[in-house]
Amino acid sequence: SQKKPRYELKRAEDFGGGRNTFDVYPVSRFDLPFPNYRQPSEVGVFSLDTARDFHNDGRKLRYYVVPPDPKRVNFDLTEGYDTLIKRDEDEKEHLDHILRWILKNRRKFVLARRSISSSSETGEQETGAEHAEGDSQLHTDFIAWRGHFTKLLCTPYENQDGWTMAVSKFNGTWYISEVETPEQRDRRVNMADRQRQMTYWGYKFEQYLTAAEPRGKTETSDPVNTNEAFCTVIRTRLNTHSLVFSGEVDCRAADDHMRAPQCYIELKTSREMFTPNQQRNFRRYKLLKWWAQSFLPGVPRIVCGFRDDSGVVHFLETFKTMEIPNIIKADSHTWNPSVCVNFCDQFLSHVKKVVQEDNCRLVYLFTWRPNCPVTHTVHRDSEYSFLPDWYTQAFHT
Ligand code: 0WD
Ligand code: CA
């Protein structure tokens, strides 16, 4: 008897009109009017605790602590490095935390459709039992981590790191989950000590500027534990694509009159700059990634701590996400936000064309490397399947 191949490579003509590759270059192809991107709205939150356990609430939300003089601070980011408690990055979580949140909040998806299809108040109670009445659809085209969409937005201008995204269509929704490439794994596992220490700096910085309570105290002598996270769940629409994604949020403003996501603040560190060349590279590479990441969920402010080479932050600067495109406008040969968002829009259309079979055991791996088109392979019942049984079985009526 014939051995069944572990995966099958399909050719262009097998896709009923879908094209096999998606061209990225020249990126001027995406220099079109800015596409419609609906004001992102928060539909929920969840938290991951010190043991990386999921909680369907905002218990890990932190509050921004305004330093006495943001222009003169002295945060030593290396302090406590020896006490770091690090999340096990060999443990692949895929979309599991988001899926857990979805199962606990399915009524929010039914209501999302209702608010679109009928303008009148139904007067029905939110019993949470709607899905048992036969409507098992989420009425959402794409579900992923925010970070995956950030990578898509930055792709036209990225010339170092490629990506691989696994996609499965299940129950009318396309799920996107990044797969760590062998190169990414090598880099992570063989990271130099200096590099490891520098990744700690970002987490330590959060500790100097946040508290567990509004107007509370910082806890800079506690160990840093990278298992902990507060995540927002955002619903929005990019042209014809409805999106639900979750992103980790560093903190919110202590002022409780502000609503999410407008109250959220993204924290970053960056090396102090002394030359125009350093400043240009900062705008060209860092501000692109920062803009894309915060634009997606509608986080309006990014507080950056500028540090020296030994990891001491000397001053803070706030960037307004919406103003970043204006900051970079004076530069020539730089990035264009329209290109980023149009690329993402058209790539998602490509995914819809290619991934047509609704089957949680079927995974399409989309791979992109700088200077290449996006290609894909097809994998049935493979190691790449990422929608767990506990999730898919909850949809069987
Ligand atoms: O399954 C995967 N391949 C990935 C899962 C890749 C990247 C992230 N994740 C998960 C992690 O479980 C993490 O908790 O996503 C969560 C963060 O989601 P996100 O907001 O979509 O990710 P992103 O926007 O890339 O990063 C936001 C923050 C980072 O802050 P900075 O300032 O560096 O952008 O999330 C943290 C980090 O603090 N973060 C992570 N934390 C733990 N594990 C990870 C990670 N792999 N990546 C980013
Ligand atoms: Ca951050």
Side-chain angles (χ1 to χ4, degrees):
S1 67
Q2 239 184 335
K3 231 180 165 178
K4 219 178 156 198
R6 270 177 63 240
Y7 63 89
E8 26 180 314
L9 279 170
K10 284 199 172 187
R11 291 170 306 160
E13 51 268 36
D14 296 330
F15 288 110
R19 289 186 50 223
N20 212 7
T21 66
F22 181 77
D23 289 328
V24 179
Y25 308 101
V27 302
S28 57
R29 305 198 300 113
F30 305 102
D31 193 354
L32 306 162
F34 202 88
N36 195 3
Y37 189 74
R38 194 167 71 194
Q39 170 98 46
S41 66
E42 179 175 82
V43 291
V45 299
F46 61 85
S47 299
L48 305 173
D49 67 18
T50 52
R52 201 69 178 170
D53 285 332
F54 173 94
H55 299 275
N56 189 29
D57 56 47
R59 68 180 67 185
K60 289 293 173 184
L61 170 62
R62 302 195 56 89
Y63 295 83
Y64 188 65
V65 177
V66 186
D69 183 2
K71 289 283 152 233
R72 253 195 79 176
V73 300
N74 186 26
F75 301 157
D76 183 355
L77 304 182
T78 306
E79 219 172 82
Y81 179 54
D82 53 325
T83 63
L84 166 66
I85 302 162
K86 209 161 166 283
R87 184 177 79 88
D88 178 5
E89 290 178 48
D90 288 323
E91 194 71 57
K92 296 302 172 209
E93 300 174 322
H94 311 286
L95 301 182
D96 292 1
H97 298 306
I98 301 177
L99 305 182
R100 259 177 216 113
W101 181 88
I102 291 170
L103 288 191
K104 291 190 185 299
N105 295 274
R106 272 170 77 174
R107 62 182 179 80
K108 297 192 178 183
F109 289 85
V110 178
L111 293 171
R113 185 208 46 173
R114 272 197 197 148
S115 70
I116 298 163
S117 59
S118 85
S119 54
S120 64
E121 185 55 57
T122 59
E124 281 172 69
Q125 288 280 303
E126 293 176 30
T127 60
E130 288 92 342
H131 63 266
E133 291 158 18
D135 183 12
S136 69
Q137 296 258 316
L138 295 180
H139 308 284
T140 305
D141 295 333
F142 291 97
I143 290 174
W145 283 104
R146 176 268 310 272
H148 302 358
F149 289 114
T150 307
K151 284 199 177 172
L152 294 179
L153 253 62
C154 295
T155 298
Y157 300 106
E158 176 63 50
N159 44 38
Q160 273 183 316
D161 304 323
W163 45 252
T164 296
M165 300 285 172
V167 180
S168 286
K169 185 182 183 188
F170 171 67
N171 223 8
T173 295
W174 286 269
Y175 294 82
I176 305 178
S177 178
E178 188 177 12
V179 175
E180 188 175 52
T181 63
E183 299 83 55
Q184 285 168 332
R185 188 181 181 277
D186 278 357
R187 213 175 325 137
R188 174 169 64 81
V189 173
N190 302 317
M191 209 189 276
D193 286 347
R194 167 80 179 168
Q195 199 61 46
R196 278 180 209 283
Q197 195 172 80
M198 287 173 76
T199 60
Y200 173 73
W201 289 352
Y203 292 103
K204 189 66 190 177
F205 179 62
E206 297 170 6
Q207 219 182 38
Y208 280 103
L209 283 174
T210 65
E213 309 288 336
R215 287 165 289 275
K217 278 201 168 69
T218 60
E219 304 130 8
T220 52
S221 37
D222 287 5
V224 168
N225 186 329
T226 65
N227 288 291
E228 293 178 278
F230 166 81
C231 295
T232 177
V233 184
I234 296 286
R235 171 178 285 283
T236 185
R237 172 174 286 272
L238 169 56
N239 262 350
T240 57
H241 313 301
S242 58
L243 318 177
V244 167
F245 53 79
S246 176
E248 205 174 310
V249 170
D250 294 326
C251 60
R252 61 159 291 156
D255 169 8
D256 40 41
H257 300 296
M258 280 163 86
R259 298 206 312 142
Q262 290 92 334
C263 61
Y264 291 147
I265 301 172
E266 171 65 34
L267 303 178
K268 296 284 184 202
T269 61
S270 196
R271 193 180 175 279
E272 297 173 282
M273 299 173 287
F274 300 101
T275 70
N277 202 39
Q278 289 172 334
Q279 286 165 339
R280 205 172 54 89
N281 282 332
F282 170 81
R283 293 194 297 270
R284 187 164 187 168
Y285 300 106
K286 273 219 167 135
L287 283 189
L288 163 60
K289 290 189 173 149
W290 294 4
W291 171 80
Q293 184 189 42
S294 288
F295 162 80
L296 283 163
V299 170
R301 275 181 305 269
I302 304 163
V303 172
C304 176
F306 285 95
R307 55 152 184 88
D308 60 26
D309 281 330
S310 52
V312 177
V313 173
H314 298 291
F315 66 96
L316 308 180
E317 202 172 314
T318 301
F319 294 89
K320 288 187 177 159
T321 309
M322 297 294 272
E323 282 174 10
I324 291 177
N326 299 326
I327 298 175
I328 61 130
K329 252 179 201 156
D331 296 326
S332 53
H333 308 293
T334 185
W335 53 277
N336 174 349
S338 292
V339 168
C340 301
V341 184
N342 280 306
F343 169 83
C344 184
D345 174 34
Q346 291 186 31
F347 176 70
L348 295 179
S349 297
H350 172 70
V351 169
K352 281 179 175 173
K353 256 185 232 141
V354 169
V355 187
Q356 290 189 4
E357 187 180 324
D358 200 302
N359 179 352
C360 60
R361 289 154 56 180
L362 190 61
V363 171
Y364 287 70
L365 282 189
F366 290 84
T367 294
W368 173 76
R369 263 160 237 290
N371 301 306
C372 297
V374 183
T375 59
H376 64 262
T377 52
V378 189
H379 308 259
R380 211 176 280 272
D381 290 322
S382 74
E383 64 199 290
Y384 296 113
S385 295
F386 63 89
L387 292 173
D389 292 341
W390 55 257
Y391 182 72
T392 55
Q393 278 165 10
F395 285 82
H396 297 148
T397 45

